[in-house]
Structure formats: structure tokens, C-alpha cells
Amino acid sequence: VRLYSGLMEPAAPLFRQLFESESCTYTYLLADPDTREAVLIDPVLETVDRDLQLIQQLGLNLTVALNTHCHADHITGTGLLKKKVFGLKSGISKHSGAAADIQLSDGDSITFGKHCLMVRETPGHTDGCVTYVTGDQRMAFTGDALLIRGCGRTDFQQGSPHRLYESVHQKIFSLPGHCFIYPAHDYKGQTVSTVDEEKKFNPRLTKTVEEFVKIMDNLNLPKPKKIDISVPANLVCGLHDI
Amino acid sequence: VRLYSGLMEPAAPLFRQLFESESCTYTYLLADPDTREAVLIDPVLETVDRDLQLIQQLGLNLTVALNTHCHADHITGTGLLKKKVFGLKSGISKHSGAAADIQLSDGDSITFGKHCLMVRETPGHTDGCVTYVTGDQRMAFTGDALLIRGCGRTDFQQGSPHRLYESVHQKIFSLPGHCFIYPAHDYKGQTVSTVDEEKKFNPRLTKTVEEFVKIMDNLNLPKPKKIDISVPANLVCGLHDI
Ligand SMILES: [Fe+2]
Ligand SMILES: [Fe+2]
């Protein structure tokens, strides 16, 4: 159903959520249903072929592959995608320290047809974490800044619980309450949340900043298994050693 | 956004897709955002507490728990849910042979507030397989009759490739092309498809019936690990031995 008002509103973007089960990572496909231009957020090396097959079957033209940050738990699919898709551009925050065709800053936008993603810098899990928000503010891809009833850890890769708390409160919780939250990971089979829900039920981000810092400083999590391969590889777009 | 035309259209149902990773099962939560009445499709025993917490946080009133069929790979959460949620009714096809409060037939509907699910019998994987279709025909919950680029096996539990082929073609492929397909399982991290996509790209159901039967008769799959516990338990609403 398309709505025609004074201005013609664009048809909702085509949207797919995809899951990589080893690292529990979500990859997101967004496309303009008319121009067929498509964007992938957080592709994973191991699932590049699955994603490309879907893109081909849907008749889409993948123009940009984005990362929400330099991941420590898996190798990004961006570099391999660039080898397989002629003209594809990669994008990541300029504060990530990682190589990419497009170095993104707060307020930048990535357009695909009549749609766009706006960049909001949300550092704290890493220095170069961003949240991508659709132009209509109906969907936010929060990376590891905000997870469903959780958040990314802050004990490595420039992690700072103070910065993360500020990022989530200022840049994500300021979005409309019905805005859907699509995180980079989920470990419990949850697929989506909303700003309102996380403002009410996130067990960490609903606390005071002091309590939040205390929680984050006492998680005592083991180091991610793949951090020593993933981070160096992701700094060069996932193409380290392949 | 609500649309007001001659008749007031109801707000879109609240919708959540949930995943159980051991059996790769999807559970679906649907609710009327105004009356807060909610329905769960294919709950899994192991994730009942996760689902109930979400239902409680969203302020919903779970009235019906449905199964698409008598599962062989996991134990349904229906029985445990009935113990935990006062007044909850269970529903399954009358052809499943399983106990339930509501024994469903083709054409039946399950209402939740201003919304409903229509029952389409889609036997073939088992005798008692049904597909639940939302009143507006935007979403179909196909169980194991139609999976994303696949379908349920037909080599046990009254399986019949002929019946399955007929069910999918007559009862699912006849839905609008843009209707979303939400299956009971996915093993590759895919979350959703559409009728159009499966009509074009399903590697089995796009074949002739003869070719389909040959494919299904030669899958040589191992028996599901949990079949000997799951089927007897699911025949009594998941409450066997617990
Ligand atoms: Fe991360
Ligand atoms: Fe099944």
C-alpha cells in the first residue's frame, strides 16, 4: 500500500534481517523497492554467499556495505563483498581506525534510491561505534551500543562505560518511542525491540550512570574467542590474510 | 500511523519473531495493540520463560497458544504455558491427533482484539499441519509445510509428498504475492520470505509434482534426535513427563 498525500511518500524500504549463528550476529539488508539500490549493514564473512544469493534473487543492486563498528567477535564480510560486487563501497566510522571507502561522521547520510540512513555517532563500546537510523526514524541499527535488554561490553577496544551511557541516552533514547531497535547481536533469540521498551526495561541503561559504570566494570567476561584474528582483519575491511 | 477511511482500519498487530536455537524453531507473538489480547504460535518448552517475560513487559494478555502441527524435533511450550497463564487456551488441528482446548479445521479463525488468524489446512508434512494467515493476508505462518527455500520432510508422521505439494500450491501459493512467509524453522539464519519469492525460488516447490516426490523420497535424512520424546509429549500438549 502506498500513500499519496501532497508529496508522494516513497514505498517502505525492502527489509531483511539475517542471522549468523556462530557469532550470533545480525546482518541487515535494506533496499529501495523501485530503484533496487541496496545497502547491507554488518555482513559476516561466513555468510557472504547466502547474502549475495538473496540480493541476486531479489533483483537488487548492492551499492554500499556498512559496519556499525570494528567488530571483535567475527570478521566482517565487507572486504570479500567488495571483491565479488563490482563498484561496491564500504563504510565505517572515521573514528574506528579501520580502512573503508567511506569514512563516516555524525550527521552523514547514506542514500539508497529515495531512502537513506543517517549516521549517529554512539561511541563507548568502541570509539568508532555508530547507529544508522532510517530517514523516517522508524528503524535504528544500533550495533553493540544498545542490545535488546543489554549493551556491548566496555572492557576492551577503547571501551568506556561513561561514553556508552551518554551515547545511548543522547543519541538513541532521543529517537521516537516506537522506533524499532535492531542490534548487531542477540544471544537469546530476540530479533527486535523499540526505543520505548529499552527505556523502560533495559536492565543496565535504566540505571543511573554511576550504577551503570559499576555494572559494566564488574562483568568479568572472558575475552572474545576471535578477537586476535577479528580486530586486525576488520581494520583492513576483513581482508587480512584472505 | 493509522489510516482512517470510510471504515476505521485497525492498527497493525504488534508482532515479534523469536528464535529457539537448539531446534532452530521460530515462535511468533501477535497482539492487538489496543485490546492487548495476544496469541503465540509454536512456543517451545525451553523458551517459555523468555516469551512470558516479553508478554508481561509489553503489557499483553496471552489468550491463545497455537501449534502449526505436532512437532517431532522439540517439545511444545503450550502445556507449560497453560500451567502458568490462567485461562490460556491451546489450539491445534483436529487432524493432528493431539490434545488441545481448540481443535481447528480449515476456515476456522482465531481472533485477538480486532485482528484474527485464519486457519488453512496444509497437510503433507503431517496430517495435522495448518497455516495461520492474518486477516489482511499480509502474513502467513506456514509451520513446516513451507520453509524459506525449502519444506518440511515427508518421511515420517503420516508424511506424503503428494499432499504437501498440493497443500503448498493450493493453500499457500494462492495467497497474495507480497504476503510474508514466516516458517516454523530456519537453519541458515533467514527470517522471512514472501509468496512471490517462494513461487520463484523454492528449489523444491517450483518443480513438477513428479520431480518433487522424487526429491522428497530421496532426502535420506537422519531421524530427528528428539522424535521419540517430542511426539508423545506433543500429543498431550507438551506435558508428558513434566
Ligand atoms: Fe562489538
Ligand atoms: Fe515438523
Side-chain angles (χ1 to χ4, degrees):
Chain A
V1 179
R2 300 212 200 153
L3 305 175
Y4 295 89
S5 52
L7 289 170
M8 195 159 79
E9 283 189 45
L14 191 159
F15 173 63
R16 290 298 164 87
Q17 183 171 29
L18 298 151
F19 187 64
E20 195 285 312
S21 59
E22 196 198 328
S23 61
C24 291
T25 300
Y26 283 121
T27 297
Y28 299 97
L29 175 65
L30 288 151
D32 185 301
D34 296 320
T35 70
R36 314 311 284 176
E37 286 162 88
V39 172
L40 261 185
I41 300 175
D42 286 336
V44 177
L45 184 62
E46 285 79 2
T47 39
V48 157
D49 286 336
R50 173 198 65 187
D51 299 349
L52 282 180
Q53 185 177 31
L54 178 63
I55 287 164
Q56 180 253 311
Q57 290 182 339
L58 295 176
L60 303 175
N61 175 22
L62 184 65
T63 55
V64 184
L66 300 171
N67 277 292
T68 52
H69 65 293
C70 178
H71 300 280
D73 62 329
H74 68 273
I75 299 181
T76 177
T78 315
L80 185 59
L81 282 164
K82 276 179 64 70
K83 291 203 170 186
K84 297 195 172 206
V85 180
F86 181 77
L88 176 69
K89 298 245 181 292
S90 57
I92 198 165
S93 165
K94 69 170 179 185
H95 303 294
S96 67
D101 299 313
I102 314 172
Q103 299 277 334
L104 298 162
S105 302
D106 202 78
D108 284 353
S109 65
I110 300 100
T111 58
F112 51 106
K114 294 171 302 304
H115 294 278
C116 73
L117 289 169
M118 300 294 300
V119 175
R120 290 185 176 212
E121 291 181 354
T122 48
H125 169 64
T126 74
D127 272 355
C129 286
V130 299
T131 291
Y132 298 107
V133 182
T134 55
D136 58 9
Q137 300 201 337
R138 280 190 196 208
M139 298 191 257
F141 303 92
T142 53
D144 288 0
L146 181 62
L147 304 178
I148 300 173
R149 311 294 191 265
C151 65
R153 57 200 287 186
T154 51
D155 57 339
F156 55 69
Q157 275 186 306
Q158 320 99 37
S160 157
H162 281 96
R163 287 193 87 190
L164 181 58
Y165 190 88
E166 198 179 280
S167 290
V168 172
H169 279 264
Q170 293 186 359
K171 301 291 187 75
I172 302 175
F173 284 177
S174 57
L175 288 163
H178 58 74
C179 177
F180 288 112
I181 300 293
Y182 287 102
H185 301 284
D186 194 86
Y187 305 95
K188 293 181 182 172
Q190 305 163 111
T191 57
V192 67
S193 181
T194 65
V195 167
D196 268 347
E197 259 180 76
E198 294 310 315
K199 274 165 123 169
K200 258 191 179 164
F201 301 117
N202 191 294
R204 295 179 185 172
L205 272 314
T206 48
K207 300 280 194 298
T208 64
V209 63
E210 293 77 21
E211 288 171 305
F212 179 76
V213 172
K214 209 168 154 188
I215 292 168
M216 297 308 289
D217 286 346
N218 289 284
L219 293 178
N220 300 313
L221 296 168
K223 208 169 85 160
K225 264 176 287 175
K226 287 192 167 181
I227 189 169
D228 297 324
I229 341 165
S230 300
V231 173
N234 290 335
L235 287 173
V236 290
C237 216
L239 283 180
H240 185 75
D241 254 14
I242 61 166
Chain B
V1 179
R2 301 214 201 151
L3 305 175
Y4 294 88
S5 53
L7 288 170
M8 195 158 80
E9 284 189 45
L14 191 159
F15 173 63
R16 290 298 164 88
Q17 183 171 28
L18 298 150
F19 186 64
E20 194 286 311
S21 59
E22 197 198 329
S23 61
C24 290
T25 300
Y26 284 121
T27 297
Y28 299 97
L29 174 65
L30 287 151
D32 185 301
D34 296 321
T35 69
R36 315 309 286 176
E37 285 162 88
V39 172
L40 261 186
I41 300 175
D42 287 335
V44 177
L45 184 62
E46 284 79 3
T47 38
V48 157
D49 287 337
R50 173 199 65 186
D51 300 349
L52 282 179
Q53 185 177 32
L54 179 63
I55 286 164
Q56 180 252 313
Q57 289 182 340
L58 295 176
L60 302 175
N61 175 21
L62 184 65
T63 55
V64 185
L66 300 171
N67 277 291
T68 52
H69 65 293
C70 178
H71 301 279
D73 62 328
H74 69 271
I75 299 180
T76 178
T78 315
L80 184 59
L81 282 163
K82 277 178 63 70
K83 291 204 168 184
K84 296 196 171 206
V85 180
F86 181 76
L88 176 68
K89 297 246 180 292
S90 57
I92 198 165
S93 165
K94 70 171 178 186
H95 304 293
S96 67
D101 299 313
I102 315 173
Q103 299 277 334
L104 297 161
S105 302
D106 202 77
D108 283 353
S109 66
I110 301 101
T111 58
F112 52 105
K114 293 171 305 303
H115 294 277
C116 73
L117 289 169
M118 300 294 300
V119 175
R120 291 186 176 212
E121 291 181 352
T122 48
H125 169 64
T126 73
D127 273 354
C129 286
V130 298
T131 291
Y132 298 107
V133 182
T134 56
D136 58 10
Q137 300 201 338
R138 281 190 196 205
M139 298 191 257
F141 303 93
T142 53
D144 288 359
L146 182 61
L147 304 178
I148 300 173
R149 311 294 191 267
C151 66
R153 57 200 287 185
T154 52
D155 57 339
F156 55 70
Q157 274 187 305
Q158 321 99 37
S160 158
H162 281 97
R163 288 192 87 189
L164 181 57
Y165 189 89
E166 198 179 281
S167 290
V168 172
H169 279 264
Q170 293 186 359
K171 300 292 186 73
I172 301 175
F173 285 177
S174 58
L175 288 163
H178 57 74
C179 178
F180 288 113
I181 300 294
Y182 287 103
H185 300 286
D186 194 86
Y187 306 94
K188 294 181 181 171
Q190 305 163 112
T191 57
V192 67
S193 181
T194 65
V195 167
D196 268 346
E197 259 179 76
E198 295 311 315
K199 274 165 123 170
K200 260 193 180 162
F201 301 117
N202 191 295
R204 296 179 185 173
L205 273 313
T206 48
K207 299 279 193 298
T208 65
V209 64
E210 293 77 21
E211 290 172 303
F212 179 76
V213 172
K214 210 169 153 188
I215 292 168
M216 297 308 289
D217 285 347
N218 289 283
L219 292 178
N220 299 313
L221 296 167
K223 209 170 82 160
K225 264 176 288 175
K226 286 192 168 181
I227 190 168
D228 297 324
I229 341 165
S230 300
V231 173
N234 290 335
L235 288 173
V236 291
C237 217
L239 283 179
H240 185 76
D241 254 17
I242 61 167

